[in-house]
Amino acid sequence: MNKTRNIRSIRVTVPLVLAVLLIVAITGCALLAEEARAFGIADNFVENRDASRMALQAIEADTLPEDDEYFAGRAAAARILDSYDVYDDEAANRYINILGQTLALASTRPVIYAGYRFLILDTDEINGLATPGGHIFVTRGLLRLAESEHEVAAILAHEISHVENRHGAKAIMETKGRNLALRAEALNYRLAAVGAESGILGRGVAVLEERVQSVVNALLGDGYSVDAEKEADLGAIQILMTLGYDPRALSTVLDRLNDSEKLAGRVKEGFHKTHPKPERRIREIERRLEHYPGITQVDDAAANRRYQDALGGI
Amino acid sequence: MRRSLLVIALIFAALMVVALEADDSLFVQVRESELRSAPGFLSQIVEKLSLGDELSYVGERAGWYQVTLPATDQSGWIHEGSVRENKETTLQLAGEGTTRTVSSREIALAGRGFSENMEGEYESGNELDFSAVDDLEARRVGPEEIVAFVLEASLRQDILQPAEE
């Protein structure tokens, strides 16, 4: 019940405050705290809080702070792990972590708040999920589409590239304004050394709920945009080439996905629901790799041995 | 509505925020990091760092900062993604008639505490269990495993090398 009220009060307050900030820019006058209280937006800390908010805006510019991405990602990961079982095979999970963390080092965003982590979900569904905190999940169904280390690398590199390009963070940016106000408020209570933080935690949780929901919606519901998927494919190609893997492995996996989709006649579940049609992505990848010489230096015998050892029975 | 907006505008108009110029200070913006002997992820670790640690900027090369740790005067390299500029901002509080200077480092540390508290509330409110996420995050891969993995299958070794000038 409290939650509902809090959400509503934030919804009312934020547009008001934004409007106010606009007007502040063109006026300059005295303080009327009592009047403000009448509109339910002021308390003992109103002056501090809003000054802090403006200060935060000055400092944080347009990016979502690393730790905000991480905590939203953690909660989304908890939701995912609440819905799926973990594939209980240590060798397989260990392999995709070594491979995945090696690929992440070859990305343009090798460092994130708590690093990249990879886990296999025990389901036949075909899906890959990357939270903004760097928790990357791939299903057994998706890994079964791969037939080599190059192809598993392509799958993981695509998911890493979602994090690299901050697609999860972009999905939650719409709640940033509210988040900023809350951070300011939290900061202010701390600076004022007042133990009244619990008063804002409820609202904080409401914001976190909303942000996690936007991430989960993107991952398990509507998917990222077609442009985001294209960007992640291009990022994956770059990562693969940096390590010497064959970037065409990505379109090979997508080809097989396309076939499985046609075979099963399923277009509305898992990966098929959250990713654009494979054909379009394959065409784009092939266009980008038109002049790729097609020579890799990878020792395929060695790569294949460890791939078979870890994922041969997936 | 127009009057109410104007009234609130008057309230906030008394507040001023003055940004001071940034100095050469950086701080660690990720949970854990390392100061390294050379600008590469597999270079020798000279110091372990954690969120909020302060560093002084010395120079940079291909995505890496050369820094010193003011506490011990230790110098080394850290990836640009691990750090952030430590800007200071002064809040002028109309209500109290006083000012207070806050750095982005303090904000990051305050933000972490707030986020952790929020997560606790979220976890109990949704009857979720974060222990599976903790288990996932405990999956670490050592630098020596990455080196061995790259060499074993003759992958390209660029990521193993320090950045060149």
Side-chain angles (χ1 to χ4, degrees), chain B residues 11-64:
Chain B
I11 294 164
F12 292 115
L15 304 173
M16 297 291 288
V17 178
V18 184
L20 301 179
E21 75 252 45
D23 54 17
D24 288 340
S25 159
L26 301 167
F27 71 98
V28 175
Q29 67 158 349
V30 294
R31 195 163 62 181
E32 292 168 0
S33 189
E34 299 84 23
L35 197 60
R36 295 183 184 272
S37 60
F41 285 106
L42 302 162
S43 301
Q44 195 195 343
I45 295 170
V46 295
E47 196 87 57
K48 295 250 185 196
L49 303 171
S50 54
L51 180 74
D53 283 350
E54 290 184 275
L55 303 161
S56 301
Y57 174 90
V58 176
E60 58 190 281
R61 184 195 301 173
W64 289 78

Side-chain angles (χ1 to χ4, degrees), chain A residues 31 64 77 104 114 119 122-123 169 171 201 222 228 289 305:
Chain A
L31 179 73
L64 202 63
L119 199 62
D122 193 358
T123 169
L201 266 185
D222 307 331
L289 294 176
R305 207 175 310 124

Side-chain angles (χ1 to χ4, degrees), chain A residues 52-95:
Chain A
S52 302
R53 198 159 77 107
M54 287 152 84
L56 282 182
Q57 267 168 342
I59 283 179
E60 298 193 338
D62 289 329
T63 56
L64 202 63
E66 290 268 333
D67 59 323
D68 275 25
E69 284 191 67
Y70 168 68
F71 280 102
R74 248 178 86 79
R79 291 269 302 269
I80 289 163
L81 288 170
D82 194 43
S83 310
Y84 292 95
D85 289 329
V86 173
Y87 179 52
D88 188 18
D89 183 323
E90 184 51 32
N93 281 308
R94 175 138 202 83
Y95 173 73

Side-chain angles (χ1 to χ4, degrees), chain B residues 43-143:
Chain B
S43 301
Q44 195 195 343
I45 295 170
V46 295
E47 196 87 57
K48 295 250 185 196
L49 303 171
S50 54
L51 180 74
D53 283 350
E54 290 184 275
L55 303 161
S56 301
Y57 174 90
V58 176
E60 58 190 281
R61 184 195 301 173
W64 289 78
Y65 289 129
Q66 188 173 21
V67 296
T68 56
L69 198 58
T72 59
D73 223 21
Q74 175 76 54
S75 73
W77 294 83
I78 189 165
H79 190 266
E80 63 181 4
S82 301
V83 294
R84 226 168 123 185
E85 213 178 315
N86 193 17
K87 289 185 195 162
E88 291 206 322
T89 298
T90 295
L91 313 181
Q92 207 161 46
L93 306 173
E96 298 177 5
T98 55
T99 59
R100 185 175 283 141
T101 302
V102 190
S103 68
S104 38
R105 173 179 171 272
E106 284 175 281
I107 291 169
L109 289 169
R112 177 179 63 173
F114 184 55
S115 298
E116 283 169 357
N117 290 347
M118 276 203 305
E119 182 177 292
E121 295 273 314
Y122 180 83
E123 183 172 17
S124 53
N126 287 278
E127 291 178 3
L128 276 176
D129 183 4
F130 276 68
S131 62
V133 185
D134 293 334
D135 289 347
L136 169 59
E137 290 184 5
R139 291 188 168 276
R140 289 167 180 273
V141 175

Side-chain angles (χ1 to χ4, degrees), chain A residues 20 23 30-31 36 39 50 55-56 59 70 74 90 94 113 117 135 204-205 209 243 297 299 306, chain B residues 4 7-12 31 89 91 107 118-119 121 126 134 137 139 145 149 152-156:
Chain A
V20 164
I23 296 173
L31 179 73
F39 292 98
D50 286 280
L56 282 182
I59 283 179
Y70 168 68
R74 248 178 86 79
E90 184 51 32
R94 175 138 202 83
Y113 188 80
R117 297 289 188 276
H135 314 88
V205 173
E209 298 255 9
L243 280 167
Q297 59 167 52
D299 176 350
R306 64 192 184 191
Chain B
S4 51
V7 169
I8 300 165
L10 300 182
I11 294 164
F12 292 115
R31 195 163 62 181
T89 298
L91 313 181
I107 291 169
M118 276 203 305
E119 182 177 292
E121 295 273 314
N126 287 278
D134 293 334
E137 290 184 5
R139 291 188 168 276
E145 291 175 283
F149 188 84
E152 184 182 37
S154 306
L155 303 182
R156 280 184 62 177

Side-chain angles (χ1 to χ4, degrees), chain A:
Chain A
M1 294 155 292
N2 260 345
K3 202 185 288 171
T4 317
R5 198 193 63 216
N6 285 334
I7 291 171
R8 192 174 299 139
S9 79
I10 294 170
R11 284 202 179 129
V12 173
T13 309
V14 168
L16 264 183
V17 171
L18 290 178
V20 164
L21 288 175
L22 196 67
I23 296 173
V24 165
I26 50 167
T27 54
C29 233
L31 179 73
L32 294 167
E34 279 186 17
E35 291 279 359
R37 275 186 204 103
F39 292 98
I41 63 156
D43 57 29
N44 293 336
F45 290 93
V46 66
E47 298 92 355
N48 294 9
R49 186 171 69 229
D50 286 280
S52 302
R53 198 159 77 107
M54 287 152 84
L56 282 182
Q57 267 168 342
I59 283 179
E60 298 193 338
D62 289 329
T63 56
L64 202 63
E66 290 268 333
D67 59 323
D68 275 25
E69 284 191 67
Y70 168 68
F71 280 102
R74 248 178 86 79
R79 291 269 302 269
I80 289 163
L81 288 170
D82 194 43
S83 310
Y84 292 95
D85 289 329
V86 173
Y87 179 52
D88 188 18
D89 183 323
E90 184 51 32
N93 281 308
R94 175 138 202 83
Y95 173 73
I96 65 157
N97 270 279
I98 299 176
L99 173 57
Q101 294 191 31
T102 304
L103 291 162
L105 278 185
S107 76
T108 57
R109 199 183 172 199
V111 177
I112 55 174
Y113 188 80
Y116 291 82
R117 297 289 188 276
F118 302 80
L119 199 62
I120 303 171
L121 300 177
D122 193 358
T123 169
D124 292 335
E125 270 180 42
I126 297 175
N127 214 349
L129 311 161
T131 80
H135 314 88
I136 292 176
F137 302 97
V138 285
T139 64
R140 285 177 80 184
L142 179 57
L143 288 175
R144 281 194 201 115
L145 291 179
E147 292 180 1
S148 69
E149 181 166 298
H150 294 271
E151 293 172 16
V152 177
I155 289 169
L156 299 182
H158 172 89
E159 297 305 326
I160 289 166
S161 195
H162 277 307
V163 182
E164 174 181 45
N165 288 295
R166 298 177 193 263
H167 291 148
K170 282 167 192 162
I172 60 181
M173 275 305 253
E174 58 190 48
T175 57
K176 180 177 178 254
R178 274 171 238 188
N179 173 60
L180 199 59
L182 278 160
R183 281 168 68 86
E185 202 173 348
L187 170 69
N188 218 42
Y189 279 120
R190 277 167 188 271
L191 292 176
V194 175
E197 232 183 272
S198 58
I200 60 165
L201 266 185
R203 295 210 302 285
V205 173
V207 169
L208 183 62
E209 298 255 9
E210 203 173 73
R211 301 166 82 200
V212 172
Q213 197 54 50
S214 29
V215 173
V216 170
N217 282 350
L219 294 181
L220 297 176
D222 307 331
Y224 291 127
S225 67
V226 172
D227 284 347
E229 294 303 336
K230 184 170 145 186
E231 199 172 22
D233 282 342
L234 298 183
I237 288 174
Q238 197 54 54
I239 291 169
L240 292 169
M241 287 169 69
T242 300
L243 280 167
Y245 284 116
D246 184 353
R248 293 166 307 181
L250 183 60
S251 51
T252 308
V253 173
L254 286 169
D255 256 334
R256 239 172 260 136
L257 175 72
N258 208 9
D259 292 347
S260 79
E261 187 176 287
K262 280 178 190 153
L263 205 66
R266 57 182 182 198
V267 288
K268 289 281 182 231
E269 52 182 272
F271 194 93
H272 310 294
K273 193 166 86 175
T274 59
H275 288 72
K277 280 195 172 301
E279 290 104 325
R280 211 192 307 174
R281 292 173 60 191
I282 294 166
R283 275 202 304 274
E284 180 65 26
I285 294 163
E286 282 173 355
R287 195 175 68 77
R288 296 281 171 159
L289 294 176
E290 207 176 350
H291 303 294
Y292 176 72
I295 304 157
T296 76
Q297 59 167 52
V298 175
D299 176 350
D300 279 322
N304 205 42
R305 207 175 310 124
R306 64 192 184 191
Y307 159 75
Q308 285 295 342
D309 284 348
L311 295 178
I314 193 100

